[in-house]
Amino acid sequence: MKYLFLSVLFLGLNGSVFASRMQISVTYDLAKPGDSLFLEYYTTFFPSAIKPKVVSAARSEQGDYKFDVQVDGPVRFSILKRLDQSINPYLKGVSFSFDTMLYQYYWHGDGQLTIYIAKRPGSAPQNNQPTFDFSYNFQGYRAAQHRAKALSDSAFALTGSTDVERANYLEPQCQRIQAGIAVLDSQKSVLTDPEYQQLKAEIIYQHPTTKLRGLKEKMAEMTPEKKNDALRKIDNYFDWGFDQDILANSWSYIYYWFERQKMSVPPVGKKFDADALLDTLLSAPSSLLNDRRITYTLALGRVKNHAYYLPQVLSKIRDKDCRQVVHSMDVRAKGKPMFDFELPDTTGKLVKLSDFKGKTVLIDLWYTGCGGCEQYYSKVLSKVEKQLHGKGIEFIAISMDRGRERWIKSIRSNQYTSELATNLYTAGAGFKHEISSLYGIAVFPTLIIVDKDGRIADFDSQDLHLLDSANLISILNKVSTR
């Protein structure tokens, strides 16, 4: 069995302000020359909206990796392994992608922590998903709490859904949740009640979004009475009586809550009315939970009147973390210069956005396996490309795939894009590429219209996502003729 040894030393606490010097030594017995490990950590609740901090460590002559980081405030941290792709001839410098070995563990306070990560028996060498492909053990500072998270996460992840569960979207109960909670309960004696409740919330709210998506697809066939009954069942099952502070600090819950709102807020046409939801939230009493609901809705909900709501949101929310996220979204505003990315096309030629100055550009960010990306391309984008190609409007399709062969295969399939577009690749960086982190992109497809001067004309608004090719043609022509 292969092990990764990780020693973390937390130093420093000054009054009520958490300050720590994080010194990490990592020994990995599968390390090879040229391998790197990365410490990725978030100081924000919204990792998809604020770029994480990443510290790299190269393998020393002694075969270990050393990190030394000063942080202020509690963080969530992950350990990543860099996979070098030196055979890729299409890039400047070294191309690489990341595999996450340890994902989103909580850290606050002083102490020394040692983590052992073992590759699970039967896991293929190329498979490196946290929990699925690794098992963990902990010694030292807060080891019991970390162990409880690892064991309950593993129980949840490795317990498959039954065929009955997958087929019956009207029944919210799930054996994966039950398995995770059973293991967490066995560790309850070593946890404080807030720690136990927080881990329990993360287990419970990981799963229901899958149920909600399946239920949403079936709703068109339901009578109003059956629909209301199904939603009532969902609400009753997932109301576990958690304190608001627990829910406010659960990313899984916030995501679940938003997906659930999409099934209740009256739509505009066929689209979810995020603006109406935001109006309701802005009139609700202030709290940390409401601040995070507002921030999530504005950042990831495809609000139509983004510029209108931005100042209202800033005057409403009080949480420093949320305000940081909202301020960072200013880069998406209409009229702001679009990031001048430089990415390789299918021939290896590096293409910059500024190469298209003087033309209107539609940027489509997608990835292989994205059902929404495939649907949007087949019903809208493929038709628009054929009609507007060569008429002063350019189409750039940026794949977030990490594997080049997968990307090329998807282009040839014509399921997500076609050769009419300028097809670009993030060179293995995938969702961690700068264009994704700069704009806080977490929902796909993401659609951006850039005007002739290289400025944002429309950043992923709901209007762009209508499954109506004539609508998109009209929007593009209006921008093009300004």
Side-chain angles (χ1 to χ4, degrees):
M1 190 169 283
K2 310 301 181 183
Y3 289 90
L4 175 71
F5 171 86
L6 173 64
S7 178
V8 183
L9 182 64
F10 306 126
L11 299 173
L13 184 63
N14 184 9
S16 62
V17 178
F18 179 95
S20 176
R21 182 183 176 194
M22 183 164 57
Q23 295 178 306
I24 303 175
S25 175
V26 181
T27 300
Y28 179 38
D29 69 353
L30 293 183
K32 302 174 184 176
D35 281 353
S36 295
L37 291 184
F38 289 69
L39 173 70
E40 177 183 73
Y41 60 99
Y42 299 93
T43 58
T44 173
F45 180 77
F46 294 94
S48 58
I50 297 292
K51 187 176 181 180
K53 296 179 181 179
V54 181
V55 179
S56 64
R59 183 172 179 256
S60 71
E61 291 182 359
Q62 292 75 33
D64 63 353
Y65 305 80
K66 291 181 172 63
F67 302 91
D68 192 341
V69 181
Q70 184 79 28
V71 297
D72 295 308
V75 300
R76 286 178 289 165
F77 69 93
S78 302
I79 299 296
L80 315 177
K81 186 178 185 298
R82 192 179 92 168
L83 302 178
D84 292 320
Q85 300 174 339
S86 57
I87 60 172
N88 190 331
Y90 302 124
L91 304 163
K92 294 178 179 178
V94 178
S95 169
F96 60 88
S97 62
F98 290 105
D99 274 337
T100 303
M101 308 182 79
L102 183 78
Y103 182 65
Q104 294 282 311
Y105 276 69
Y106 299 95
W107 168 30
H108 60 88
D110 294 324
Q112 184 173 358
L113 174 68
T114 300
I115 304 175
Y116 300 90
I117 302 180
K119 197 76 185 293
R120 290 189 185 277
S123 173
Q126 70 273 18
N127 294 340
N128 294 293
Q129 293 188 57
T131 304
F132 284 99
D133 296 298
F134 297 101
S135 59
Y136 310 98
N137 198 7
F138 303 84
Q139 292 181 356
Y141 174 72
R142 298 178 61 83
Q145 289 80 1
H146 292 309
R147 190 176 299 114
K149 171 176 166 56
L151 291 172
S152 56
D153 282 354
S154 295
F156 177 92
L158 298 174
T159 302
S161 298
T162 66
D163 291 339
V164 173
E165 285 178 341
R166 285 191 291 270
N168 187 4
Y169 293 110
L170 300 181
E171 178 51 62
Q173 294 196 47
C174 170
Q175 67 177 13
R176 301 180 77 188
I177 294 175
Q178 295 164 356
I181 291 177
V183 171
L184 182 64
D185 284 345
S186 73
Q187 304 291 311
K188 190 174 182 179
S189 62
V190 301
L191 302 169
T192 66
D193 186 62
E195 289 169 341
Y196 170 78
Q197 296 294 339
Q198 201 68 64
L199 291 174
K200 186 175 181 179
E202 288 300 318
I203 292 170
I204 290 168
Y205 294 112
Q206 284 183 63
H207 180 76
T209 50
T210 303
K211 287 280 186 183
L212 291 177
R213 284 193 294 269
L215 181 58
K216 189 175 181 181
E217 293 174 2
K218 301 289 184 181
M219 277 190 169
E221 307 167 9
M222 295 181 181
T223 63
E225 293 77 11
K226 192 171 184 180
K227 172 184 172 181
N228 290 335
D229 183 58
L231 292 178
R232 193 158 38 248
K233 273 190 174 182
I234 290 281
D235 292 340
N236 288 340
Y237 181 75
F238 289 107
D239 180 7
W240 289 68
F242 289 110
D243 184 89
Q244 275 204 7
D245 288 341
I246 296 296
L247 296 178
N249 285 291
S250 170
W251 173 259
S252 296
Y253 168 75
I254 297 295
Y255 181 49
Y256 157 75
W257 166 85
F258 183 75
E259 293 299 312
R260 174 64 183 85
Q261 300 311 301
K262 289 165 70 173
M263 303 175 75
S264 296
V265 175
V268 175
K270 295 183 179 180
K271 282 293 179 179
F272 167 62
D273 190 355
D275 293 46
L277 176 59
L278 202 51
D279 284 333
T280 300
L281 294 170
L282 288 169
S283 64
S286 294
S287 67
L288 177 60
L289 179 58
N290 198 54
D291 279 3
R292 289 186 168 166
R293 286 172 170 175
I294 289 172
T295 304
Y296 188 98
T297 303
L298 184 68
L300 302 171
R302 289 181 174 142
V303 170
K304 183 175 181 179
N305 298 303
H306 188 276
Y308 168 75
Y309 283 108
L310 193 62
Q312 294 186 60
V313 168
L314 285 171
S315 69
K316 173 73 174 181
I317 60 177
R318 296 290 177 264
D319 180 60
K320 181 179 177 182
D321 193 41
C322 293
R323 292 183 66 82
Q324 179 189 8
V325 172
V326 174
H327 277 298
S328 74
M329 293 179 62
D330 188 51
V331 296
R332 295 183 176 192
K334 183 177 179 180
K336 292 285 184 178
M338 180 65 191
F339 170 57
D340 189 18
F341 51 79
E342 183 179 42
L343 297 169
D345 66 11
T346 55
T347 69
K349 176 186 175 183
L350 289 169
V351 177
K352 298 178 72 174
L353 175 62
S354 55
D355 295 339
F356 299 90
K357 192 167 184 179
K359 296 182 178 180
T360 298
V361 178
L362 174 66
I363 301 170
D364 170 30
L365 289 94
W366 63 278
Y367 67 91
T368 302
C370 169
C373 304
E374 185 175 359
Q375 180 189 47
Y376 188 81
Y377 181 75
S378 65
K379 294 191 174 182
V380 181
L381 200 48
S382 60
K383 299 173 184 177
V384 176
E385 281 181 351
K386 290 176 182 177
Q387 186 162 337
L388 297 183
H389 179 69
K391 297 181 179 179
I393 296 173
E394 295 291 333
F395 298 87
I396 298 179
I398 300 177
S399 170
M400 309 308 287
D401 289 344
R402 292 190 352 182
R404 187 177 185 277
E405 291 183 5
R406 184 181 178 92
W407 167 53
I408 295 294
K409 185 177 180 180
S410 289
I411 293 173
R412 291 171 178 165
S413 74
N414 291 317
Q415 290 177 276
Y416 306 93
T417 182
S418 75
E419 294 184 358
L420 291 177
T422 299
N423 287 287
L424 304 179
Y425 172 54
T426 57
F431 303 116
K432 296 184 183 296
H433 189 271
E434 187 175 4
I435 192 172
S436 179
S437 57
L438 175 64
Y439 290 105
I441 295 171
V443 181
F444 296 87
T446 291
L447 305 164
I448 308 165
I449 297 179
V450 180
D451 68 18
K452 297 175 183 179
D453 296 320
R455 297 183 178 276
I456 295 172
D458 191 321
F459 196 104
D460 206 41
S461 70
Q462 287 208 40
D463 286 345
L464 295 184
H465 284 268
L466 293 174
L467 295 180
D468 180 350
S469 59
N471 170 70
L472 182 58
I473 289 171
S474 175
I475 293 173
L476 287 168
N477 282 331
K478 285 179 182 177
V479 175
S480 182
T481 55
R482 285 177 187 170

